[in-house]
Amino acid sequence: MSVVSVADWPYRAPCAALSLWVAGMVGALTALLAGTYAFATHVDATLNHRVLSVPADVVALAAAWLFAGRVAYSFLKLHHAACKRRSKHRALLELFGQPSRARRAMVLPSRQPLAYSVPGPAGGHAVISDSLLDRFTGAEVDSILAHEQAHLEERHHLFTELCEALRSALPKGQMAVRFAERFGALIEMRADCAARNQCGRHVTADALGRWTAEPITDTAPVPVTRAAARTCQVSARRYHLINHPKCCSSMTAAGAFAAACSIAAAPVALIGAGALSAICNLVCG
């Protein structure tokens, strides 16, 4: 978790950082299942492994399952509440929104520029306001919609809910809060990358800059600096778009992808080796 929370490299390779996080979750889950299987098949040896007269393996396994159960419970609770909110929101959209086939979005009447996504059946809805259509150029609107469609197509709301469940299960502290904030920024950067692939990085960066400007003007936003990118999530997103023609094309990103594959595959390989050994012992009996 600290790799994503503290280091600066995830802002340079957001997709690789997200892959590493997901691989860590998958690796932890498969390792827990492998440990449970080992305990079930070698109960006597596991109980005999003691530290200060305490069966350490049993205590560690119970603590791991307790933590996993707490994360799962928090995720289900958050997901259920979010589904109820989104259902009510979709009902309001049906009343006040106007579907736009050309934009593949619901258009709401509003004096403020709005753009967000509402997951749901049939892929959910991307929502924009009519004032956004008036104030932004056509290319910028396409970029904003591509960003929101990426959230819907890649199910980013599930990753966000899982991250929030993990944060709530961890001890309350600055590290957990920072992790949640950083993870949310990486999710946004991943959607930015999808918009960049469709509309271009400069258009996407300009739309993001004007979107966050107060008030919104017709001029292009000021260039962002490396120093600002270290302290502001929006600046980090714009800096990544402007200064990296391709996402995750560096050696750091390649190393992160390789580490993600190793972390996710290692427990599976150990389980396969154990199963193969058990079959050999059974056959050779």
Side-chain angles (χ1 to χ4, degrees):
M1 187 176 72
S2 60
V3 173
V4 180
S5 305
V6 178
D8 291 332
W9 71 264
Y11 278 167
R12 300 193 300 271
C15 299
L18 288 173
S19 299
L20 187 59
W21 185 85
V22 173
M25 295 290 291
V26 173
L29 180 59
T30 52
L32 180 58
L33 295 175
T36 304
Y37 173 78
F39 171 75
T41 54
H42 303 87
V43 177
D44 295 337
T46 305
L47 293 176
N48 290 331
H49 185 199
R50 294 175 176 269
V51 177
L52 298 178
S53 301
V54 176
D57 293 344
V58 176
V59 173
L61 189 63
W65 273 113
L66 182 63
F67 179 77
R70 185 176 179 182
V71 173
Y73 173 76
S74 298
F75 173 77
L76 292 175
K77 184 178 179 180
L78 289 168
H79 184 68
H80 179 69
C83 286
K84 292 179 64 176
R85 291 195 304 270
R86 288 193 286 262
S87 178
K88 294 179 180 179
H89 200 129
R90 288 193 300 270
L92 292 175
L93 288 176
E94 294 295 333
L95 291 175
F96 300 104
Q98 294 292 331
S100 173
R101 292 184 178 179
R103 296 290 185 181
R104 292 194 307 158
M106 296 289 289
V107 181
L108 285 177
S110 174
R111 295 181 179 179
Q112 297 295 325
L114 298 175
Y116 58 91
S117 56
V118 183
H125 299 290
V127 183
I128 57 176
S129 63
D130 51 4
S131 59
L132 184 141
L133 295 175
D134 295 334
R135 299 189 189 187
F136 285 74
T137 67
E140 290 172 342
V141 173
D142 290 340
S143 173
I144 292 172
L145 285 175
H147 177 103
E148 300 303 333
Q149 288 292 344
H151 283 318
L152 294 173
E153 293 172 1
E154 298 178 11
R155 305 293 192 270
H156 288 168
H157 62 287
L158 297 179
F159 290 100
T160 303
E161 291 167 4
L162 182 58
C163 174
E164 183 62 25
L166 182 60
R167 186 198 64 79
S168 64
L170 291 169
K172 298 186 183 298
Q174 187 64 28
M175 181 65 73
V177 175
R178 183 174 175 81
F179 168 72
E181 293 176 351
R182 177 68 68 89
F183 187 82
L186 292 177
I187 287 289
E188 294 299 323
M189 292 179 79
R190 169 57 202 148
D192 290 341
C193 290
R196 182 222 327 250
N197 293 337
Q198 294 187 33
C199 305
R201 57 191 174 110
H202 292 291
V203 171
T204 304
D206 288 345
L208 178 61
R210 291 188 58 208
W211 176 261
T212 55
E214 288 292 341
I216 293 178
T217 64
D218 293 331
T219 60
V222 297
V224 67
T225 62
R226 181 186 293 270
R230 292 177 178 174
T231 58
C232 176
Q233 292 182 359
V234 174
S235 297
R237 291 167 58 187
R238 289 188 59 215
Y239 187 88
H240 178 258
L241 286 168
I242 294 171
N243 294 279
H244 296 82
K246 293 183 179 180
C247 180
C248 299
S249 59
S250 64
M251 292 300 296
T252 301
F257 280 125
C261 294
S262 300
I263 292 172
V268 178
L270 291 175
I271 293 174
L276 183 61
S277 177
I279 292 174
C280 289
N281 292 334
L282 181 64
V283 172
C284 300

